[in-house]
Amino acid sequence: MSSLKLRLSLLTVLAVLGLSACGQGPTDWDPPVPTPNSTSEASPRINAPRGVPEHLAVPAEAIPETAAGARAFLTYYWGTAGHHAMTTGELAPLRAVTQNTCHTCKVSMEWIGLTYATRAELKIKEFTVSDFGPLNDTERAGEYRMRATVRTGEMRLVPQRDTPRIFEASEHRVDHILVRTSRGWAIADWSLAGD
């Protein structure tokens, strides 16, 4: 598969984090309103960048330049900023922690923006990150590479006038390249493990 095709397929991973649909049609399931995860709720926050509500700012434990800080940052990136973007269409928290050079991130955020611009919405039961580990491939100065498992519960893509598309719960190993900025960690790139 070409790099461009693979990167475009990664859009689906962020947008639905499920590669197989379990069918179409409404269900009696109504996901809970997204809330910040419990570890982030109790944590002090850094000053939120412009356009980012204080409760969605990066938690203090996700700032240190340590393996624990990187794990907390990835939990925030997917579980708070990513989940918020996907379930509301508001991209400011995700953009604030994403480098402009991340093509996969850019395409994914464009898709989320277009989804909400057409008055569709995404509903996701849960979004978790676990099983962190450093990658042992070639390191570049100023980068930290980490692999993690990203899981999502059942998700619905709800178009304005069409039948919702239902996606089963799924899990994927994702490789991340993190960089340090003046505000802490940022995502420089991500891809499915093995890409």
Side-chain angles (χ1 to χ4, degrees):
M1 176 179 280
S2 76
S3 178
L4 177 60
K5 285 182 183 177
L6 185 54
R7 287 195 178 270
L8 290 175
S9 71
L10 290 174
L11 163 63
T12 304
V13 173
L14 179 62
V16 298
L17 281 175
L19 300 177
S20 61
C22 67
Q24 293 186 352
T27 66
D28 56 6
W29 167 84
D30 192 21
V33 175
T35 58
N37 63 41
S38 59
T39 59
S40 295
E41 264 183 345
S43 302
R45 303 287 174 152
I46 64 166
N47 292 332
R50 183 175 300 185
V52 177
E54 189 66 32
H55 73 282
L56 293 172
V58 178
E61 70 266 14
I63 302 301
E65 192 171 349
T66 62
R71 287 190 299 269
F73 173 77
L74 287 180
T75 299
Y76 166 81
Y77 178 81
W78 291 103
T80 302
H83 186 263
H84 178 77
M86 291 173 60
T87 56
T88 67
E90 296 172 10
L91 297 169
L94 198 56
R95 280 193 180 120
V97 293
T98 302
Q99 295 286 287
N100 292 335
T101 56
C102 180
H103 178 73
T104 305
C105 306
K106 180 181 175 187
V107 171
S108 300
M109 286 188 275
E110 286 173 357
W111 188 90
I112 292 169
L114 287 171
T115 297
Y116 282 88
T118 61
R119 296 182 176 243
E121 61 182 22
L122 297 165
K123 296 182 182 278
I124 306 169
K125 276 190 171 182
E126 62 181 322
F127 212 145
T128 61
V129 185
S130 63
D131 303 325
F132 302 96
L135 296 176
N136 295 323
D137 60 355
T138 305
E139 294 292 328
R140 295 165 84 183
E143 292 182 352
Y144 184 75
R145 295 168 184 258
M146 180 172 273
R147 180 173 286 170
T149 299
V150 179
R151 293 181 186 96
T152 183
E154 183 181 274
M155 188 180 78
R156 290 193 291 176
L157 172 61
V158 185
Q160 184 182 17
R161 297 172 194 230
D162 284 335
T163 304
R165 186 170 179 187
I166 311 299
F167 296 88
E168 294 178 353
S170 64
E171 108 177 9
H172 301 279
R173 293 292 282 165
V174 181
D175 292 344
H176 304 86
I177 300 174
L178 290 79
V179 294
R180 293 298 292 178
T181 70
S182 61
R183 292 187 162 273
W185 294 107
I187 294 289
D189 200 4
W190 61 264
S191 62
L192 291 180
D195 176 19

